[in-house]
Amino acid sequence: MPTKDATDEKLLLDIGDEAPDFELRDEEGNLHKLSSFRGRRVMLSFFRYASCPVCLYNVDRLKQQAALLQKAEIVTLCIFRSAPTMMQRAADGTNEDTHTLSDLKGSVYKKFQVKPSLRVRSIYPYKSAIFGKYSPYVDLKMMFKDVKGKGRDEALLQLPADFLIDENGIIVDVFRSETPQDHMEFERIEAFIPKGKRCKCKQKDCISPTCRETYAQIRKDAESMTWH
């Protein structure tokens, strides 16, 4: 059942609710409808705007994640408060089961109750964006073009969110971020992947925590054997 947010008396979409249907265009103008993916699991990620350095950093991380989800036949949908023409950088390098979608006016954000917050102005990681890990993603010209115009304040104040949706269109997990840079932890996403389709590479640099933990245990066991 929907739950109440501490700052809002309206009911929020929650685990067990049916995901509202929507139809949005990708960076090439192609339409994608959520209900067309019934029968498959879907990860639905709401970002801020497509030229946001923090978002682009997280999109690059998500592309690694999406590759694992694709192997498990899970669709990844990434929504931005930007026009389709602004989303090419975010869409570059994605696979055929990952779609970058435009919601310039925020209608789907409203359906899923993914809200902007005035707090973003005080908690945005400006220092990291200018000097730190987000700095390679900064393009001031593109950012100005992306957020200019009437009604674009909400894009600047937008917070991210993630929804995991099962084969029947039911929400099975939700993450609503309280900061501009956070998204759902991969441990929760990994639990969404059917057990038989989870990564088993056991590599130290795998995005899967289970693989990294298995690798560490194998190394520990091997080192222990060499001392006996």
Side-chain angles (χ1 to χ4, degrees):
M1 292 292 291
T3 58
K4 287 185 179 181
D5 182 77
T7 61
D8 195 335
E9 288 301 311
K10 293 182 180 179
L11 295 177
L12 291 175
L13 283 173
D14 202 2
I15 294 170
D17 293 329
E18 183 174 358
D21 200 13
F22 62 82
E23 189 174 55
L24 293 173
R25 294 189 184 276
D26 63 20
E27 75 284 357
E28 295 180 347
N30 301 312
L31 281 169
H32 299 271
K33 194 171 185 178
L34 179 61
S35 58
S36 68
F37 297 108
R38 286 289 173 91
R40 298 184 66 180
R41 298 187 181 193
V42 174
M43 177 170 181
L44 177 62
S45 289
F46 289 88
F47 291 86
R48 302 178 68 231
Y49 53 96
S51 61
C52 166
V54 174
C55 297
L56 289 173
Y57 172 86
N58 283 325
V59 165
D60 275 359
R61 294 179 62 205
L62 182 140
K63 288 172 186 175
Q64 303 173 44
Q65 176 181 295
L68 290 185
L69 296 181
Q70 184 189 31
K71 291 178 182 178
E73 300 179 354
I74 296 173
V75 175
T76 302
L77 302 179
C78 304
I79 301 182
F80 293 88
R81 296 198 66 152
S82 297
T85 54
M86 301 300 301
M87 301 194 309
Q88 191 58 58
R89 167 64 181 82
D92 285 346
T94 55
N95 60 56
E96 58 267 29
D97 284 327
T98 301
H99 305 286
T100 306
L101 306 177
S102 165
D103 186 19
L104 184 63
K105 295 183 179 179
S107 60
V108 179
Y109 287 78
K110 290 175 183 176
K111 278 188 176 184
F112 281 80
Q113 297 153 311
V114 181
K115 302 174 182 179
S117 172
L118 290 172
R119 292 181 61 247
V120 171
R121 288 176 176 161
S122 61
I123 62 176
Y124 189 82
Y126 295 102
K127 186 174 181 180
S128 294
I130 299 171
F131 304 109
K133 62 182 179 181
Y134 305 124
S135 59
Y137 300 90
V138 174
D139 184 332
L140 295 178
K141 183 178 179 181
M142 189 65 70
M143 290 170 65
F144 178 76
K145 184 178 179 181
D146 197 1
V147 301
K148 72 175 181 179
K150 184 179 179 180
R152 296 301 287 152
D153 286 350
E154 285 195 357
L156 290 167
L157 299 175
Q158 186 64 58
L159 288 171
D162 300 291
F163 294 78
L164 302 180
I165 302 168
D166 72 10
E167 298 88 341
N168 299 309
I170 303 301
I171 298 168
V172 298
D173 201 358
V174 180
F175 175 79
R176 287 186 170 86
S177 181
E178 295 183 358
T179 72
Q181 63 266 38
D182 289 338
H183 280 270
M184 183 180 287
E185 293 181 354
F186 191 77
E187 286 85 350
R188 291 165 67 173
I189 299 168
E190 187 173 43
F192 180 59
I193 301 173
K195 287 186 178 180
K197 297 181 178 180
R198 294 176 189 172
C199 185
K200 300 180 178 66
C201 75
K202 303 175 185 177
Q203 298 298 310
K204 65 178 180 179
D205 57 352
C206 181
I207 195 171
S208 164
T210 302
C211 286
R212 297 197 302 270
E213 290 167 7
T214 303
Y215 171 85
Q217 187 60 52
I218 291 172
R219 283 293 304 271
K220 184 178 179 181
D221 292 345
E223 290 171 1
S224 176
M225 290 176 65
T226 61
W227 289 99
H228 291 85

